[in-house]
Coordinates of all heavy atoms in Angstrom, one line a residue:
I229 N 14.1 1.2 4.2 CA 13.2 0.8 3.3 C 13.6 -0.4 2.4 O 12.9 -1.4 2.2 CB 12.6 1.9 2.4 CG1 12.0 3.1 3.2 CG2 11.6 1.5 1.4 CD1 11.8 4.3 2.5
D230 N 14.8 -0.3 2.0 CA 15.5 -1.3 1.2 C 15.4 -2.6 1.8 O 15.1 -3.8 1.3 CB 16.9 -1.0 0.8 CG 17.0 -0.4 -0.6 OD1 16.0 0.0 -1.2 OD2 18.1 -0.4 -1.1
A231 N 15.9 -2.6 3.2 CA 16.0 -3.9 3.9 C 14.6 -4.4 4.1 O 14.4 -5.7 4.1 CB 16.7 -3.5 5.2
T232 N 13.6 -3.6 4.3 CA 12.2 -4.0 4.6 C 11.7 -4.6 3.3 O 11.1 -5.7 3.4 CB 11.3 -2.8 5.1 OG1 11.9 -2.3 6.2 CG2 10.0 -3.3 5.3
V233 N 11.9 -4.0 2.2 CA 11.3 -4.6 0.9 C 12.0 -5.9 0.6 O 11.4 -6.8 0.2 CB 11.5 -3.4 -0.2 CG1 11.0 -4.1 -1.5 CG2 10.8 -2.3 0.1
N234 N 13.4 -5.9 0.9 CA 14.1 -7.2 0.6 C 13.5 -8.4 1.5 O 13.3 -9.5 1.0 CB 15.5 -7.1 1.0 CG 16.3 -6.6 -0.3 OD1 16.6 -7.4 -1.1 ND2 16.5 -5.3 -0.4
R235 N 13.2 -8.0 2.8 CA 12.6 -9.1 3.7 C 11.3 -9.6 3.2 O 10.9 -10.7 3.2 CB 12.5 -8.4 5.0 CG 11.7 -9.4 6.1 CD 11.7 -8.9 7.5 NE 11.1 -7.6 7.8 CZ 9.8 -7.4 7.7 NH1 9.0 -8.3 7.5 NH2 9.4 -6.2 8.0
L236 N 10.4 -8.5 2.8 CA 9.1 -8.9 2.4 C 9.1 -9.7 1.1 O 8.4 -10.7 1.0 CB 8.2 -7.6 2.2 CG 7.8 -6.8 3.3 CD1 7.3 -5.5 3.0 CD2 6.9 -7.6 4.2
A237 N 10.1 -9.3 0.1 CA 10.2 -10.1 -1.1 C 10.5 -11.6 -0.8 O 10.0 -12.5 -1.5 CB 11.2 -9.5 -2.0
A238 N 11.4 -11.8 0.2 CA 11.9 -13.1 0.5 C 10.7 -14.0 1.0 O 10.5 -15.1 0.7 CB 13.0 -13.1 1.5
E239 N 9.9 -13.3 1.9 CA 8.7 -14.0 2.4 C 7.7 -14.2 1.3 O 7.1 -15.4 1.3 CB 8.0 -13.1 3.5 CG 8.8 -12.9 4.8 CD 8.1 -11.9 5.8 OE1 6.9 -11.7 5.7 OE2 8.8 -11.4 6.6
I240 N 7.4 -13.3 0.4 CA 6.5 -13.5 -0.7 C 6.9 -14.6 -1.6 O 6.2 -15.4 -2.1 CB 6.2 -12.2 -1.3 CG1 5.5 -11.2 -0.3 CG2 5.5 -12.4 -2.6 CD1 5.4 -9.8 -0.7
K241 N 8.2 -14.5 -1.9 CA 8.8 -15.5 -2.8 C 8.6 -17.0 -2.3 O 8.3 -17.9 -3.1 CB 10.3 -15.3 -3.1 CG 10.9 -16.2 -4.1 CD 12.2 -15.9 -4.5 CE 12.9 -16.8 -5.5 NZ 14.1 -16.4 -6.0
K242 N 8.9 -17.2 -1.1 CA 8.7 -18.5 -0.4 C 7.3 -19.0 -0.5 O 7.1 -20.2 -0.7 CB 9.1 -18.3 1.0 CG 9.1 -19.6 1.9 CD 9.9 -19.4 3.1 CE 9.2 -18.5 4.2 NZ 7.9 -18.9 4.6
D243 N 6.4 -18.1 -0.4 CA 4.9 -18.5 -0.5 C 4.4 -18.6 -1.9 O 3.3 -19.3 -2.0 CB 4.0 -17.6 0.3 CG 4.5 -17.6 1.9 OD1 5.3 -18.6 2.3 OD2 4.0 -16.7 2.7
Y244 N 4.8 -17.8 -2.8 CA 4.1 -17.7 -4.1 C 4.8 -18.2 -5.3 O 4.3 -18.3 -6.3 CB 3.8 -16.2 -4.3 CG 2.6 -15.7 -3.5 CD1 2.7 -15.1 -2.3 CD2 1.3 -15.9 -4.0 CE1 1.7 -14.7 -1.6 CE2 0.2 -15.4 -3.1 CZ 0.5 -14.8 -2.0 OH -0.7 -14.3 -1.3
L245 N 6.1 -18.8 -5.0 CA 6.8 -19.3 -6.1 C 6.0 -20.4 -6.8 O 5.5 -21.4 -6.1 CB 8.2 -19.9 -5.6 CG 9.1 -20.4 -6.7 CD1 9.7 -19.3 -7.6 CD2 10.3 -21.1 -5.9
G246 N 5.8 -20.3 -8.1 CA 5.1 -21.4 -8.8 C 3.6 -21.2 -8.8 O 2.8 -22.0 -9.3
K247 N 3.0 -20.1 -8.1 CA 1.6 -19.9 -8.0 C 1.1 -18.7 -8.9 O -0.1 -18.4 -8.9 CB 1.3 -19.5 -6.5 CG 1.4 -20.7 -5.6 CD 0.9 -20.5 -4.3 CE 0.9 -21.7 -3.3 NZ 0.6 -21.4 -2.0
S248 N 1.9 -18.3 -9.7 CA 1.6 -17.2 -10.7 C 0.6 -16.2 -10.1 O -0.5 -15.9 -10.7 CB 1.0 -17.9 -12.0 OG 1.9 -18.6 -12.5
P249 N 1.0 -15.5 -9.0 CA 0.0 -14.5 -8.4 C -0.3 -13.3 -9.2 O 0.5 -13.0 -10.1 CB 0.7 -14.2 -7.1 CG 2.2 -14.4 -7.4 CD 2.3 -15.5 -8.3
I250 N -1.3 -12.6 -9.0 CA -1.6 -11.3 -9.4 C -1.3 -10.3 -8.2 O -2.0 -10.5 -7.3 CB -2.9 -11.1 -10.0 CG1 -3.3 -12.1 -11.1 CG2 -3.1 -9.7 -10.6 CD1 -4.7 -12.0 -11.6
L251 N -0.3 -9.5 -8.4 CA -0.1 -8.5 -7.4 C -0.8 -7.2 -7.7 O -0.8 -6.8 -8.8 CB 1.3 -8.1 -7.3 CG 2.2 -9.0 -6.4 CD1 2.3 -10.3 -6.8 CD2 3.7 -8.4 -6.3
I252 N -1.8 -6.8 -6.8 CA -2.7 -5.7 -7.1 C -2.3 -4.5 -6.2 O -2.4 -4.5 -5.0 CB -4.1 -6.1 -6.8 CG1 -4.5 -7.3 -7.7 CG2 -5.1 -4.9 -7.1 CD1 -6.0 -7.9 -7.3
G253 N -1.7 -3.6 -6.9 CA -1.2 -2.3 -6.2 C -2.4 -1.3 -6.1 O -3.2 -1.2 -7.1
V254 N -2.5 -0.8 -5.0 CA -3.6 0.2 -4.7 C -3.0 1.6 -5.0 O -2.0 2.1 -4.4 CB -4.1 0.2 -3.1 CG1 -5.2 1.2 -3.0 CG2 -4.5 -1.2 -2.8
L255 N -3.6 2.2 -6.0 CA -3.0 3.6 -6.5 C -3.5 4.6 -5.6 O -4.6 4.5 -4.9 CB -3.5 3.8 -7.8 CG -2.8 3.0 -9.0 CD1 -3.4 3.2 -10.2 CD2 -1.3 3.2 -9.0
K256 N -2.7 5.8 -5.5 CA -1.4 5.8 -6.1 C -0.3 5.5 -5.2 O 0.8 5.2 -5.6 CB -1.2 7.3 -6.5 CG -2.2 7.9 -7.5 CD -1.9 9.4 -7.8 CE -3.0 10.1 -8.4 NZ -2.7 11.5 -8.4
G257 N -0.6 5.5 -3.9 CA 0.4 5.3 -2.9 C 1.4 4.1 -3.0 O 2.5 4.2 -2.6
S258 N 1.0 3.0 -3.7 CA 1.8 1.8 -3.7 C 2.8 1.8 -4.8 O 3.5 0.8 -5.0 CB 0.9 0.6 -3.7 OG 0.2 0.5 -4.9
F259 N 2.7 2.8 -5.8 CA 3.4 2.6 -7.0 C 5.0 2.4 -6.8 O 5.5 1.6 -7.6 CB 3.2 3.8 -7.9 CG 4.0 5.0 -7.7 CD1 5.2 5.2 -8.4 CD2 3.6 5.9 -6.7 CE1 5.9 6.5 -8.3 CE2 4.4 7.1 -6.5 CZ 5.5 7.4 -7.2
M260 N 5.6 3.1 -6.0 CA 7.1 2.9 -5.7 C 7.5 1.7 -5.0 O 8.3 1.0 -5.4 CB 7.5 4.2 -4.9 CG 8.9 4.6 -5.2 SD 9.5 6.1 -4.3 CE 9.0 7.4 -5.4
F261 N 6.6 1.3 -4.1 CA 6.8 0.1 -3.3 C 6.7 -1.1 -4.2 O 7.5 -2.0 -4.3 CB 5.7 0.0 -2.1 CG 5.8 -1.2 -1.3 CD1 6.9 -2.0 -1.0 CD2 4.5 -1.7 -0.9 CE1 6.8 -3.1 -0.3 CE2 4.4 -2.8 -0.1 CZ 5.6 -3.6 0.2
M262 N 5.5 -1.0 -5.0 CA 5.3 -2.1 -5.9 C 6.5 -2.3 -7.0 O 7.0 -3.4 -7.3 CB 4.0 -1.8 -6.8 CG 3.7 -2.8 -7.9 SD 3.1 -4.4 -7.3 CE 1.4 -4.3 -7.8
A263 N 7.0 -1.1 -7.4 CA 8.1 -1.2 -8.5 C 9.4 -1.8 -7.9 O 10.1 -2.6 -8.4 CB 8.3 0.3 -9.0
D264 N 9.7 -1.5 -6.6 CA 10.8 -2.1 -6.0 C 10.6 -3.5 -5.5 O 11.5 -4.3 -5.7 CB 11.2 -1.2 -4.6 CG 11.8 0.1 -5.0 OD1 12.3 0.2 -6.1 OD2 12.0 0.9 -4.1
L265 N 9.4 -3.8 -5.2 CA 9.1 -5.2 -4.7 C 9.2 -6.2 -5.9 O 9.8 -7.2 -5.8 CB 7.7 -5.3 -4.0 CG 7.2 -6.6 -3.5 CD1 8.1 -7.0 -2.3 CD2 5.8 -6.5 -3.1
V266 N 8.5 -5.8 -7.0 CA 8.5 -6.8 -8.1 C 9.8 -7.1 -8.7 O 10.0 -8.2 -9.2 CB 7.4 -6.5 -9.2 CG1 6.0 -6.6 -8.5 CG2 7.7 -5.1 -9.7
R267 N 10.7 -6.1 -8.6 CA 12.0 -6.4 -9.2 C 12.8 -7.4 -8.4 O 13.7 -8.0 -9.0 CB 12.8 -5.1 -9.1 CG 12.7 -4.3 -10.4 CD 13.4 -3.0 -10.4 NE 12.7 -2.0 -9.7 CZ 13.0 -0.8 -9.7 NH1 14.0 -0.3 -10.4 NH2 12.3 0.1 -9.1
L268 N 12.4 -7.7 -7.2 CA 13.0 -8.7 -6.3 C 12.3 -10.0 -6.6 O 12.8 -11.0 -6.0 CB 13.0 -8.2 -4.9 CG 13.8 -6.9 -4.6 CD1 13.5 -6.5 -3.2 CD2 15.3 -7.1 -4.8
L269 N 11.2 -10.1 -7.2 CA 10.4 -11.3 -7.3 C 10.6 -12.0 -8.6 O 10.0 -11.7 -9.6 CB 8.9 -11.1 -7.1 CG 8.5 -10.4 -5.7 CD1 7.0 -10.1 -5.7 CD2 8.9 -11.4 -4.6
D270 N 11.6 -12.8 -8.6 CA 12.2 -13.3 -10.0 C 11.5 -14.7 -10.4 O 12.1 -15.7 -10.5 CB 13.6 -13.5 -10.0 CG 14.1 -14.3 -8.8 OD1 13.3 -14.5 -7.8 OD2 15.3 -14.7 -8.8
F271 N 10.2 -14.6 -10.4 CA 9.3 -15.7 -10.8 C 8.1 -15.2 -11.5 O 7.8 -14.0 -11.4 CB 9.0 -16.6 -9.7 CG 8.2 -16.0 -8.5 CD1 6.8 -16.0 -8.6 CD2 8.9 -15.4 -7.5 CE1 6.2 -15.4 -7.6 CE2 8.2 -14.8 -6.5 CZ 6.7 -14.7 -6.4
P272 N 7.3 -16.0 -12.3 CA 6.2 -15.5 -13.0 C 5.1 -15.0 -12.1 O 4.6 -15.7 -11.2 CB 5.7 -16.7 -13.8 CG 6.9 -17.6 -14.0 CD 7.6 -17.4 -12.6
L273 N 4.7 -13.7 -12.4 CA 3.6 -13.1 -11.7 C 3.0 -12.0 -12.6 O 3.6 -11.6 -13.7 CB 4.1 -12.4 -10.3 CG 5.2 -11.4 -10.4 CD1 4.8 -10.0 -10.9 CD2 5.9 -11.3 -9.1
E274 N 1.9 -11.4 -12.2 CA 1.2 -10.3 -13.0 C 1.1 -9.2 -12.1 O 1.0 -9.3 -10.9 CB -0.1 -10.8 -13.5 CG 0.0 -11.9 -14.7 CD -1.3 -12.5 -15.0 OE1 -2.3 -11.8 -15.1 OE2 -1.4 -13.7 -15.3
V275 N 1.1 -8.0 -12.7 CA 0.9 -6.8 -12.0 C -0.3 -5.9 -12.4 O -0.6 -5.8 -13.6 CB 2.1 -5.8 -12.2 CG1 1.8 -4.6 -11.5 CG2 3.4 -6.4 -11.6
E276 N -1.2 -5.7 -11.4 CA -2.4 -4.9 -11.8 C -2.4 -3.7 -10.8 O -1.7 -3.7 -9.7 CB -3.6 -5.7 -11.5 CG -4.0 -6.7 -12.6 CD -4.7 -6.1 -13.7 OE1 -5.1 -4.9 -13.6 OE2 -4.8 -6.6 -14.7
F277 N -3.2 -2.7 -11.1 CA -3.4 -1.6 -10.2 C -4.9 -1.3 -10.1 O -5.6 -1.6 -11.0 CB -2.6 -0.4 -10.7 CG -1.2 -0.4 -10.5 CD1 -0.3 -0.7 -11.6 CD2 -0.7 -0.1 -9.2 CE1 1.0 -0.8 -11.4 CE2 0.7 -0.2 -9.0 CZ 1.6 -0.5 -10.2
I278 N -5.3 -0.9 -8.9 CA -6.7 -0.6 -8.8 C -6.6 0.8 -8.0 O -5.7 1.1 -7.3 CB -7.4 -1.6 -7.9 CG1 -8.9 -1.4 -8.0 CG2 -6.9 -1.6 -6.5 CD1 -9.7 -2.7 -7.6
R279 N -7.6 1.7 -8.4 CA -7.7 2.9 -7.9 C -9.0 3.2 -7.1 O -9.9 2.9 -7.6 CB -7.6 4.0 -8.9 CG -7.5 5.4 -8.3 CD -6.5 6.2 -9.1 NE -6.5 7.5 -8.5 CZ -6.4 8.6 -9.2 NH1 -6.2 8.6 -10.5 NH2 -6.4 9.9 -8.6
L280 N -8.8 3.5 -5.8 CA -10.0 3.8 -5.0 C -10.0 5.2 -4.5 O -9.0 5.9 -4.5 CB -9.9 3.0 -3.7 CG -9.6 1.4 -3.8 CD1 -9.2 0.8 -2.5 CD2 -10.8 0.8 -4.4
S281 N -11.1 5.7 -4.3 CA -11.2 7.0 -3.7 C -11.5 6.8 -2.3 O -12.5 6.2 -1.9 CB -12.4 7.9 -4.3 OG -13.6 7.1 -4.1
S282 N -10.6 7.3 -1.4 CA -10.8 7.2 0.1 C -10.5 8.5 0.7 O -11.4 9.2 1.1 CB -10.0 6.1 0.7 OG -8.6 6.4 0.3
Y283 N -9.3 9.0 0.7 CA -8.9 10.3 1.2 C -9.4 11.3 0.2 O -9.2 11.2 -1.0 CB -7.5 10.3 1.4 CG -7.1 9.8 2.8 CD1 -7.5 8.7 3.3 CD2 -6.4 10.7 3.8 CE1 -7.3 8.2 4.5 CE2 -6.1 10.3 5.0 CZ -6.5 9.1 5.4 OH -6.3 8.7 6.7
G284 N -9.9 12.4 0.7 CA -10.1 13.5 0.0 C -8.8 14.3 -0.2 O -7.7 13.8 0.0
R285 N -8.9 15.6 -0.4 CA -7.7 16.4 -0.3 C -7.2 16.5 1.1 O -7.9 16.5 2.1 CB -7.8 17.8 -0.9 CG -8.1 17.8 -2.4 CD -8.6 19.1 -2.9 NE -7.8 20.2 -2.6 CZ -6.8 20.6 -3.4 NH1 -6.6 19.9 -4.5 NH2 -6.1 21.6 -3.2
G286 N -5.9 16.6 1.3 CA -5.3 16.8 2.6 C -5.2 15.5 3.3 O -5.0 14.6 2.8
R287 N -5.5 15.7 4.6 CA -5.2 14.6 5.6 C -6.4 13.8 6.0 O -6.3 12.6 6.5 CB -4.6 15.1 6.8 CG -3.3 15.9 6.7 CD -2.8 16.3 8.0 NE -1.6 17.1 7.8 CZ -0.7 17.1 8.7 NH1 -0.8 16.6 9.8 NH2 0.5 17.9 8.5
E288 N -7.6 14.3 5.8 CA -8.7 13.6 6.4 C -9.5 12.7 5.4 O -9.6 13.0 4.2 CB -9.8 14.7 6.9 CG -9.4 15.4 8.1 CD -8.8 14.4 9.3 OE1 -9.5 13.4 9.6 OE2 -7.6 14.5 9.7
S289 N -9.8 11.6 6.0 CA -10.5 10.6 5.1 C -11.9 11.1 4.9 O -12.6 11.5 5.8 CB -10.5 9.2 5.8 OG -11.4 8.3 5.2
S290 N -12.5 10.8 3.7 CA -13.8 11.1 3.3 C -14.7 10.1 4.1 O -15.9 10.4 4.2 CB -14.0 11.3 1.9 OG -14.0 10.0 1.3
G291 N -14.2 9.0 4.2 CA -15.0 7.9 4.8 C -15.8 7.1 3.8 O -16.1 5.9 4.0
K292 N -16.0 7.7 2.7 CA -16.7 7.0 1.6 C -15.7 6.4 0.6 O -14.8 7.1 0.2 CB -17.6 8.0 0.9 CG -18.7 8.5 1.7 CD -19.8 9.1 0.9 CE -20.7 10.0 1.7 NZ -20.1 11.4 1.9
I293 N -15.8 5.1 0.3 CA -14.8 4.5 -0.6 C -15.5 3.9 -1.8 O -16.6 3.3 -1.8 CB -14.1 3.4 0.2 CG1 -13.4 3.9 1.4 CG2 -13.0 2.6 -0.7 CD1 -13.4 3.0 2.7
K294 N -14.9 4.1 -3.0 CA -15.4 3.4 -4.2 C -14.2 3.0 -5.1 O -13.2 3.7 -5.0 CB -16.4 4.2 -4.9 CG -16.2 5.5 -5.3 CD -17.3 6.2 -5.9 CE -16.9 7.4 -6.7 NZ -17.6 8.6 -6.5
V295 N -14.5 2.1 -6.0 CA -13.5 1.8 -7.0 C -13.6 2.8 -8.1 O -14.7 2.9 -8.8 CB -13.8 0.4 -7.6 CG1 -12.7 0.1 -8.7 CG2 -13.6 -0.6 -6.4
V296 N -12.6 3.5 -8.4 CA -12.5 4.5 -9.4 C -12.0 4.0 -10.7 O -12.4 4.3 -11.8 CB -11.7 5.7 -9.0 CG1 -11.6 6.8 -10.1 CG2 -12.1 6.3 -7.7
Q297 N -10.9 3.1 -10.6 CA -10.4 2.4 -11.7 C -10.2 0.9 -11.3 O -9.4 0.5 -10.5 CB -9.1 3.0 -12.2 CG -8.4 2.5 -13.4 CD -7.0 2.9 -13.4 OE1 -6.7 4.0 -13.4 NE2 -6.0 1.9 -13.6
G298 N -10.9 0.0 -12.1 CA -10.8 -1.4 -11.7 C -9.8 -2.2 -12.4 O -8.9 -1.6 -12.9
L299 N -9.9 -3.5 -12.3 CA -8.9 -4.5 -12.8 C -9.2 -4.8 -14.3 O -10.3 -4.9 -14.5 CB -8.8 -5.7 -11.9 CG -8.6 -5.4 -10.5 CD1 -8.9 -6.7 -9.6 CD2 -7.1 -4.8 -10.2
R300 N -8.1 -5.0 -15.0 CA -8.3 -5.5 -16.4 C -8.3 -7.0 -16.5 O -8.8 -7.5 -17.5 CB -7.2 -4.9 -17.2 CG -7.1 -3.4 -17.2 CD -6.2 -2.9 -18.2 NE -6.6 -3.2 -19.5 CZ -6.9 -2.4 -20.5 NH1 -6.8 -1.0 -20.2 NH2 -7.2 -2.7 -21.7
S301 N -7.7 -7.8 -15.6 CA -7.6 -9.2 -15.7 C -8.8 -9.9 -14.9 O -9.4 -9.5 -14.0 CB -6.2 -9.8 -15.4 OG -5.7 -9.0 -14.3
E302 N -9.0 -11.1 -15.5 CA -10.0 -12.1 -14.8 C -9.3 -12.5 -13.5 O -8.1 -13.1 -13.4 CB -10.2 -13.2 -15.7 CG -11.0 -14.3 -15.2 CD -12.4 -13.8 -14.9 OE1 -13.2 -13.4 -15.9 OE2 -12.9 -13.9 -13.8
I303 N -9.9 -12.3 -12.5 CA -9.2 -12.8 -11.1 C -9.9 -13.9 -10.4 O -9.4 -14.5 -9.4 CB -9.2 -11.5 -10.1 CG1 -10.6 -11.0 -9.9 CG2 -8.3 -10.5 -10.7 CD1 -10.5 -9.9 -8.8
R304 N -11.1 -14.4 -11.0 CA -11.7 -15.6 -10.3 C -10.7 -16.8 -10.4 O -10.0 -17.0 -11.5 CB -12.9 -15.9 -11.1 CG -13.6 -17.2 -10.8 CD -14.8 -17.5 -11.6 NE -15.8 -16.6 -11.3 CZ -16.9 -17.0 -10.5 NH1 -16.9 -18.2 -9.9 NH2 -18.0 -16.1 -10.4
G305 N -10.5 -17.5 -9.3 CA -9.6 -18.6 -9.3 C -8.1 -18.3 -9.3 O -7.2 -19.2 -9.3
R306 N -7.7 -16.9 -9.1 CA -6.3 -16.6 -9.2 C -5.9 -16.3 -7.7 O -6.6 -16.0 -6.8 CB -6.1 -15.3 -10.0 CG -6.5 -15.5 -11.4 CD -5.5 -16.5 -12.2 NE -4.2 -16.2 -12.1 CZ -3.5 -15.3 -13.0 NH1 -4.1 -14.8 -14.0 NH2 -2.2 -15.0 -12.8
N307 N -4.5 -16.4 -7.5 CA -3.9 -16.1 -6.3 C -3.6 -14.6 -6.2 O -2.8 -14.1 -6.9 CB -2.6 -16.9 -6.0 CG -3.1 -18.3 -5.9 OD1 -3.7 -18.8 -5.0 ND2 -2.4 -19.2 -6.8

Side-chain angles (χ1 to χ4, degrees):
I229 297 169
D230 261 16
T232 302
V233 177
N234 272 280
R235 170 174 61 75
L236 292 172
E239 290 173 25
I240 291 166
K241 182 171 177 175
K242 182 164 68 63
D243 295 348
Y244 284 93
L245 185 65
K247 292 191 173 167
S248 300
I250 305 179
L251 272 62
I252 302 176
V254 185
L255 290 174
K256 302 177 195 173
S258 70
F259 81 98
M260 209 176 275
F261 177 37
M262 177 72 110
D264 284 344
L265 182 66
V266 293
R267 268 179 280 197
L268 299 170
L269 300 176
D270 52 344
F271 59 88
L273 57 79
E274 292 170 36
V275 174
E276 280 282 346
F277 286 99
I278 194 164
R279 182 138 183 219
L280 307 171
S281 61
S282 56
Y283 270 53
R285 287 165 63 85
R287 303 179 180 210
E288 286 314 306
S289 175
S290 69
K292 297 194 195 81
I293 301 147
K294 60 180 197 228
V295 176
V296 181
Q297 180 194 313
L299 302 170
R300 299 187 65 118
S301 32
E302 176 64 63
I303 58 174
R304 175 184 286 264
R306 299 293 304 272
N307 294 301

